[in-house]
């Protein structure tokens, strides 16, 4: 009984069982009944038990069916889950934005350096023992010179002049038209791309074992022109019988002054190096006949070129003229409709170059047939693939004209490939093989060899004006439009009133006078303590402080109280001070607005200097006409493909104006700029106009001096 009572008491005190426990008990009970029923059926239970089991059989059937249904459902779910895991689709390929594809063959990671390590630049010039293998014969050490220039090293003036002078002597001994035999590798324009020139020799072969013919344009447009020229001349000195150089249209004083070569020489070497380089240009041969089959020139044909003997009549030791046979050899181009010409003329005016001619398909075929040649091989034009083969001739089925261009990614904008033409032996026959290559990384130069301090001036100017504006913008425009609450009033103006009375000593009671105060001044008491160099202010509370006031109140040794009756202030002085405040506020507002315009100007300069510098560099120093009509961003976005870059640069393919012609052109540009500035209200400032006038005067003086120097040099 005790134990039963204990359990009964415990049941009363314990909380009720959870629903889950009840469900578990019910399941056990059902299972027990099922087992009991099975046992009774097997042992032939008593009639009463049989009847009970018979009554419970419908519930048992329902329970078994429900259990089977749940099990089947769970099995199906499990099977579906396994199938889903097995047939799980592959993860989507997420694009890796750190991978950048430069071209078809080059893929780099933006999280890593393209150049893993950079050798230190060559700070010192080499000694003659390092540079020359044989100092008596002035034979340069090619391998040393190559690596020295890769490290952006420079030579001394004497060493540079030795190479230029020796090369000029060798070139002067050669005829106007070279007669060369195969095998030989023919190369096109280089244009100051020294690091791509090194790639060319990797593709074409070591000059010590390979014969080379270059078709001109070694300088200008690129920033390593003097390195290209000196290295090519060094190869010529070392291999005079297997290394040959022809003259291009850029090998002259006129174009090198207009483009980048003169600026580069003056930046890296003394003026004498540039003069020696120009002198060497005049010694370069004009043409080459390869294997008695191919005429190699820089530009093309001329109406005055009938036979190969006409080359002998040219005096090449001079500046190229603007017309005639020598000009056409350097400047002429195949016609834009070469091979589909419908006009009967053989030569058409060259509107792209501004001089010379376009020669047609019929003109080339006639010349080749007349001289028993296969083709004309030339350079002079950038090509997207580095080469172009024109329509085949009428007789032998060989391309009438082949253009080779060996400067990849010309101006860092064209995105073109470069090519060289290898005319080599294959068994018993000679074949022409074209090998292409892409551009190589190279050091970066700011436009026109600008130093970083000059380049950063717009940025510095913008930041300085931002600082000034931040200081001046302590007062908002609304505050500036109102009269400042505290405005300086000269103490002498206050003391000028004969009615102003001060105490004689600190012990005496101050004399009381009538005070005439403006309506804005309310009666109030204020304390004044003597202190030297204290400013005087009139405030809405009517308080004052003194400046150099010791002489007037020297007798005051302790703070003295004044009330509104101590001073009588002339109202006209206050109104005059209000007018002064308005003027000062107006002047301050004008200063803020002027500095704001200046800040905007510096901001625009900073944002567009790099873009314009890049466009100007890619355009040869001068932006094409109308290049900025649609905006700088639009002009920059247009340089996306070879054709677009070429169209943007087409103006710089023409012969530039002479120095005498350039002066009036620049003067007209200055006049147009002045008119534009005078119409711009945001720049309508006397100070700015004075600055612009000085700049224009300096530019005009520099242009005139440059023109006179060029004229003297030409003479």
């Amino acid at each position: 009984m005790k134990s039963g009572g204990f359990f009964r008491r415990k049941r009363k005190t314990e909380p009720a069982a959870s629903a889950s426990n009840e469900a578990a008990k019910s399941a056990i009970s059902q299972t027990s009944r099922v087992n009991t029923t099975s046992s009774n059926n097997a042992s032939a239970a008593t009639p009463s038990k049989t009847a009970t089991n018979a009554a419970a059989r419908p519930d048992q059937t329902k329970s078994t069916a429900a259990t089977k249904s749940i099990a089947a459902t769970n099995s199906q779910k499990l099977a579906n889950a396994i199938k889903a895991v097995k047939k799980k689709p592959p993860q989507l390929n997420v694009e890796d934005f750190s991978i950048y594809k430069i071209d078809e063959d080059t893929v780099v990671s933006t999280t890593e350096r393209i150049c893993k390590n950079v050798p230190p630049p060559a700070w010192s010039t080499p000694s003659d023992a390092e540079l020359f293998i044989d100092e008596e014969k002035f034979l340069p050490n090619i391998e040393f010179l190559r690596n020295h220039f890769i490290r952006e090293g420079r030579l001394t003036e004497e060493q540079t002049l030795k190479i230029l002078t020796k090369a000029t002597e060798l070139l002067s001994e050669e005829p106007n038209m070279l007669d060369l035999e195969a095998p030989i590798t023919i190369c096109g324009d280089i244009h100051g791309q020294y690091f791509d020139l090194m790639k060319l020799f990797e593709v074409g072969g070591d000059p010590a074992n390979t014969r080379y013919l270059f078709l001109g344009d070694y300088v200008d447009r690129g920033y390593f022109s003097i390195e290209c020229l000196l290295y090519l001349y060094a190869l010529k000195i070392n291999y005079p019988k297997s290394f040959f150089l022809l003259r291009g249209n850029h090998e002259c004083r006129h174009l090198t002054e207009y483009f980048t070569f003169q600026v580069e020489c003056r930046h890296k070497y003394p003026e004498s190096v540039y003069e020696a380089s120009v002198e060497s240009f005049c010694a370069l041969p004009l043409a080459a006949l390869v294997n008695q089959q191919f005429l190699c020139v820089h530009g093309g044909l001329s109406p005055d070129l009938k036979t190969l003997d006409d080359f002998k009549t040219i005096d090449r030791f001079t500046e190229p003229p603007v017309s005639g046979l020598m000009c056409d050899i350097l400047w002429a181009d195949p016609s834009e409709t070469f091979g589909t010409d419908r006009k009967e003329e053989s030569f058409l005016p060259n509107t792209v170059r501004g001089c010379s001619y376009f020669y047609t398909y019929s003109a080339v075929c006639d010349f080749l047939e007349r001289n028993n040649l296969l083709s004309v091989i030339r350079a002079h034009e950038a090509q997207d693939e580095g080469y172009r083969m024109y329509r085949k001739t009428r007789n032998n089925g060989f391309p009438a004209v082949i253009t080779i261009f060996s400067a990849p990614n010309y101006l860092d904008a064209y995105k073109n490939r470069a090519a060289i033409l290898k005319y080599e032996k294959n068994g018993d026959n000679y074949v022409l093989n074209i090998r292409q290559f892409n551009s190589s990384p190279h050091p970066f130069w700011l436009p026109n060899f600008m130093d970083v301090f000059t380049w950063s001036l717009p940025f510095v100017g913008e930041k300085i004006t931002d600082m000034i504006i931040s200081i001046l913008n302590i007062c908002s425009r609304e505050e500036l439009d109102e009269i400042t609450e505290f405005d300086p009033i000269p103490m002498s103006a206050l003391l000028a009133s004969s009615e102003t009375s001060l105490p004689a000593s600190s012990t005496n009671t101050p004399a009381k006078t009538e005070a005439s105060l403006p309506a804005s001044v309310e009666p109030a008491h204020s304390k004044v303590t003597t202190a030297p160099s204290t400013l005087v202010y009139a405030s809405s509370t009517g308080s004052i402080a003194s400046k150099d006031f010791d002489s007037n109140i020297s007798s005051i040794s302790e703070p003295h109280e004044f009330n509104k009756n101590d001073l009588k202030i002339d109202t006209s002085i206050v109104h005059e001070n209000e007018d002064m405040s308005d003027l000062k506020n107006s002047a301050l507002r004008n200063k803020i607005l002027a500095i704001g315009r200046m800040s905007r100007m510096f901001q625009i300069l900073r944002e567009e200097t790099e873009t314009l510098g890049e466009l100007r560099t890619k355009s040869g120093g001068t932006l094409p006409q109308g290049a900025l009509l649609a905006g700088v961003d639009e002009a920059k976005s247009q340089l996306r493909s070879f054709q677009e870059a070429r169209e943007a640069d087409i103006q710089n393919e023409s012969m530039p104006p002479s120095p005498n012609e350039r002066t009036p052109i620049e003067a007209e540009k200055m006049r147009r700029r002045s008119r534009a500035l005078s119409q711009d209200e945001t720049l309508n400032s006397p100070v700015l106009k004075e600055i612009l006038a000085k700049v224009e005067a300096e530019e005009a003086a520099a242009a005139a001096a440059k023109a006179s120097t060029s004229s003297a040099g030409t003479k």
Side-chain angles (χ1 to χ4, degrees):
M1 292 296 294
K2 289 182 179 179
S3 60
F6 171 77
F7 283 110
R8 281 197 296 273
R9 285 195 299 272
K10 189 172 183 181
R11 285 193 204 100
K12 290 179 182 179
T13 57
E14 283 183 343
S18 63
S20 58
N21 293 336
E22 291 296 338
K25 291 178 180 179
S26 175
I28 294 170
S29 185
Q30 289 180 4
T31 305
S32 177
R33 286 199 300 271
V34 171
N35 294 335
T36 305
T37 302
S38 301
S39 175
N40 291 336
N41 289 336
S43 60
T46 61
S48 61
K49 291 183 178 181
T50 303
T52 304
N53 292 337
R57 191 173 293 117
D59 295 337
Q60 175 188 356
T61 304
K62 292 180 181 179
S63 176
T64 304
T67 304
K68 290 181 178 180
S69 176
I70 294 172
T73 303
N74 292 338
S75 299
Q76 185 63 35
K77 290 181 179 179
L78 183 60
N80 293 339
I82 294 173
K83 186 184 297 184
V85 171
K86 290 182 178 179
K87 295 184 178 181
K88 185 178 180 181
Q91 293 183 352
L92 297 177
N93 292 329
V94 180
E95 184 178 358
D96 188 357
F97 293 99
S98 65
I99 302 300
Y100 179 71
K101 186 176 182 180
I102 298 177
D103 50 49
E104 295 180 358
D105 303 327
T106 308
V107 177
V108 298
S109 173
T110 58
T111 60
E112 300 177 359
R113 292 180 178 270
I114 296 180
C115 299
K116 302 301 181 183
N117 49 32
V118 179
W123 295 106
S124 59
T125 56
S127 63
D128 289 348
E130 292 175 315
L131 179 60
F132 296 106
I133 299 174
D134 188 340
E135 297 186 26
E136 295 182 359
K137 297 182 179 180
F138 301 124
L139 290 178
N141 186 333
I142 298 298
E143 187 63 24
F144 173 83
L145 191 63
R146 173 183 179 276
N147 296 328
H148 187 67
F149 284 157
I150 287 177
R151 296 173 57 198
E152 299 185 78
R154 299 177 188 174
L155 308 180
T156 65
E157 180 182 4
E158 293 75 13
Q159 293 169 344
T160 307
L161 293 177
K162 284 180 182 179
I163 294 175
L164 293 172
T165 303
K166 182 63 177 179
T168 303
E169 293 175 1
L170 292 173
L171 294 170
S172 300
E173 297 172 356
E174 296 178 340
N176 289 348
M177 185 183 73
L178 303 172
D179 192 355
L180 306 177
E181 297 293 332
I184 196 166
T185 300
I186 302 174
C187 308
D189 297 25
I190 303 300
H191 280 298
Q193 299 182 197
Y194 177 78
F195 293 83
D196 295 321
L197 179 62
M198 299 300 102
K199 181 73 172 181
L200 182 151
F201 287 123
E202 291 179 11
V203 174
D206 189 351
N209 308 316
T210 307
R211 292 163 57 83
Y212 277 96
L213 171 64
F214 284 81
L215 302 181
D217 276 10
Y218 317 112
V219 300
D220 278 337
R221 313 304 294 272
Y223 286 107
F224 303 94
S225 295
I226 188 62
E227 286 84 359
C228 289
L229 188 68
L230 291 174
Y231 187 74
L232 291 172
Y233 279 177
L235 291 172
K236 178 63 179 176
I237 295 171
N238 277 269
Y239 314 112
K241 301 300 181 182
S242 62
F243 196 88
F244 303 97
L245 303 169
L246 299 185
R247 188 174 192 174
N249 63 311
H250 276 266
E251 276 70 60
C252 67
R253 182 184 297 273
H254 182 37
L255 267 70
T256 52
E257 285 181 349
Y258 185 80
F259 290 100
T260 60
F261 182 62
Q262 186 187 55
V263 177
E264 179 183 346
C265 284
R266 289 177 174 175
H267 180 77
K268 298 178 179 179
Y269 293 98
E271 182 72 19
S272 58
V273 172
Y274 173 71
E275 294 297 330
S277 300
V278 173
E279 183 181 351
S280 70
F281 295 157
C282 296
L284 289 165
L286 300 176
L289 182 63
V290 176
N291 230 33
Q292 298 296 313
Q293 295 175 308
F294 301 97
L295 176 65
C296 299
V297 292
H298 180 72
L301 304 182
S302 170
D304 300 328
L305 184 64
K306 306 299 182 182
T307 66
L308 299 179
D309 292 335
D310 292 332
F311 285 106
K312 299 177 182 178
T313 64
I314 303 174
D315 179 15
R316 76 173 193 266
F317 296 95
T318 183
E319 281 288 295
V322 295
S323 62
L325 178 56
M326 184 176 178
C327 172
D328 297 336
I329 292 171
L330 302 177
W331 283 93
D333 294 303
S335 64
E336 297 176 348
T337 57
F338 191 89
T340 60
D341 306 294
R342 296 182 179 179
K343 297 183 179 180
E344 297 181 357
E345 294 88 353
S346 297
F347 294 90
L348 305 172
N350 195 328
T351 55
V352 174
R353 304 292 182 178
C355 64
S356 188
Y357 297 95
F358 287 122
Y359 47 88
T360 63
Y361 173 73
S362 60
V364 176
C365 289
D366 292 343
F367 176 81
L368 295 176
E369 292 171 5
R370 190 165 53 245
N371 293 276
N372 194 25
L373 298 174
L374 280 179
S375 180
V376 174
I377 301 176
R378 41 98 64 176
H380 195 42
E381 282 185 301
Q383 301 296 331
D384 192 13
E385 294 298 323
Y387 72 96
R388 180 181 176 184
M389 293 190 177
Y390 291 80
R391 182 180 173 182
K392 297 178 180 179
T393 58
R394 295 173 296 210
N395 296 336
N396 50 38
F398 201 86
V401 177
I402 301 175
T403 297
I404 294 293
F405 194 78
S406 303
N409 195 21
Y410 184 42
L411 303 181
D412 288 332
Y414 275 55
K415 301 178 176 62
N416 62 293
R417 304 184 75 183
I420 57 175
L421 192 152
K422 294 187 73 68
Y423 187 35
E424 52 195 356
K425 197 169 185 179
N426 184 11
D428 296 334
N429 301 320
Y430 284 98
V431 295
L432 288 174
N433 291 322
I434 293 178
R435 296 187 182 179
Q436 298 171 291
F437 59 96
N438 294 318
S439 60
S440 301
H442 62 82
F444 175 76
W445 278 92
L446 290 170
N448 293 325
F449 301 94
M450 187 189 306
D451 61 85
V452 69
F453 298 102
T454 304
W455 172 79
S456 64
L457 283 179
F459 175 81
V460 175
E462 179 194 357
K463 293 308 174 185
I464 292 176
T465 51
D466 285 347
M467 292 168 58
I468 297 175
I469 288 177
S470 299
I471 295 173
L472 294 178
N473 277 343
I474 295 175
C475 298
S476 64
R477 178 165 295 190
E478 290 76 10
E479 292 173 333
L480 291 173
D481 289 337
E482 300 174 358
I483 297 178
T484 312
E485 187 176 5
F486 293 95
D487 296 315
I489 299 179
M491 192 63 196
S492 58
L494 291 174
L495 296 177
S497 175
S498 59
E499 299 178 5
T500 302
S501 175
L502 292 174
S505 65
S506 61
T507 58
N508 296 333
T509 303
K512 306 227 176 191
T513 59
E514 296 291 335
S516 177
L517 297 174
S520 60
V521 179
E522 299 176 356
H525 287 80
S526 176
K527 292 184 178 181
V528 178
T529 306
T530 58
S533 302
T534 306
L535 291 176
V536 178
Y537 288 95
S539 72
S540 59
T541 59
S543 60
I544 64 169
S546 65
K547 177 183 180 182
D548 298 333
F549 203 37
D550 298 2
S551 59
N552 295 298
I553 54 173
S554 57
S555 58
I556 300 177
S557 58
E558 296 179 357
H560 184 81
E561 283 195 9
F562 291 89
N563 59 31
K564 66 178 183 178
N565 296 322
D566 290 340
L567 294 175
K568 184 178 180 180
I569 304 175
D570 192 350
T571 308
S572 62
I573 297 176
V574 176
H575 289 305
E576 180 181 354
N577 179 64
E578 291 176 357
D579 295 337
M580 293 174 60
S581 299
D582 291 339
L583 291 175
K584 292 176 181 177
N585 292 335
S586 177
L588 184 57
R589 282 195 297 271
N590 292 335
K591 288 178 182 179
I592 293 176
L593 293 176
I595 295 175
R597 287 194 294 268
M598 186 181 297
S599 174
R600 177 60 180 161
M601 180 183 69
F602 278 119
Q603 182 180 0
I604 294 174
L605 283 174
R606 181 185 65 81
E607 292 174 352
E608 298 185 355
T609 293
E610 288 188 21
T611 302
L612 290 176
E614 180 182 356
L615 287 172
R616 188 173 287 108
T617 301
K618 295 173 181 177
S619 301
T622 304
L623 290 176
Q625 184 176 2
L628 301 179
L629 290 179
V632 179
D633 295 335
E634 179 65 24
K636 185 177 181 180
S637 65
Q638 290 179 355
L639 302 181
R640 297 174 182 171
S641 66
F642 171 82
Q643 189 61 32
E644 291 169 346
R646 184 177 181 182
E647 290 174 359
D649 188 49
I650 195 67
Q651 181 178 352
N652 292 290
E653 295 296 326
S654 64
M655 179 179 286
S658 64
N660 295 331
E661 296 171 340
R662 210 176 302 155
T663 302
I665 293 175
E666 293 178 354
E668 178 61 25
K669 288 182 180 178
M670 291 179 189
R671 285 193 293 270
R672 291 180 181 177
R673 184 167 52 188
S674 299
R675 286 197 298 268
L677 290 174
S678 63
Q679 296 172 359
D680 191 346
E681 296 180 356
T682 61
L683 301 177
N684 193 12
S685 168
V687 177
L688 188 57
K689 286 183 178 179
E690 183 179 354
I691 294 174
L692 293 174
K694 290 181 180 179
V695 171
E696 291 176 0
E698 292 176 358
E699 289 181 351
K706 186 176 181 180
S708 61
T709 304
S710 301
S711 301
T714 304
K715 292 180 182 179

